[in-house]
Amino acid sequence: MGFVASCIEDVAERLGVDYAVIYDRMAAVGMIENYIIPHYNVLHTESRENVTSGLIETLNRWEEAK
């Protein structure tokens, strides 16, 4: 769960919003349970910059699709 928390915090920092806003957005589209946790083995090997960029892109796509 530490990895999930750091992902949320990194995205929030990059976007300049409170982490609670990002948590709510990710939770609303199921991104934590259906993307971050299942893909932990791959995500944690990437640079923080790449992970954060990918998470932002994925979040935006999933929100658009919803």
Side-chain angles (χ1 to χ4, degrees), residues 35-56:
Y35 185 75
I36 298 174
I37 293 172
H39 295 99
Y40 167 78
N41 287 335
V42 174
L43 291 172
H44 88 280
T45 65
E46 296 287 326
S47 71
R48 296 305 295 165
E49 184 175 314
N50 286 342
V51 170
T52 302
S53 294
L55 291 174
I56 291 168

Side-chain angles (χ1 to χ4, degrees), residues 19-37:
Y19 74 91
V21 171
I22 298 303
Y23 173 81
D24 290 342
R25 287 176 63 189
M26 287 182 174
V29 295
M31 193 170 159
I32 296 166
E33 298 84 12
N34 298 310
Y35 185 75
I36 298 174
I37 293 172

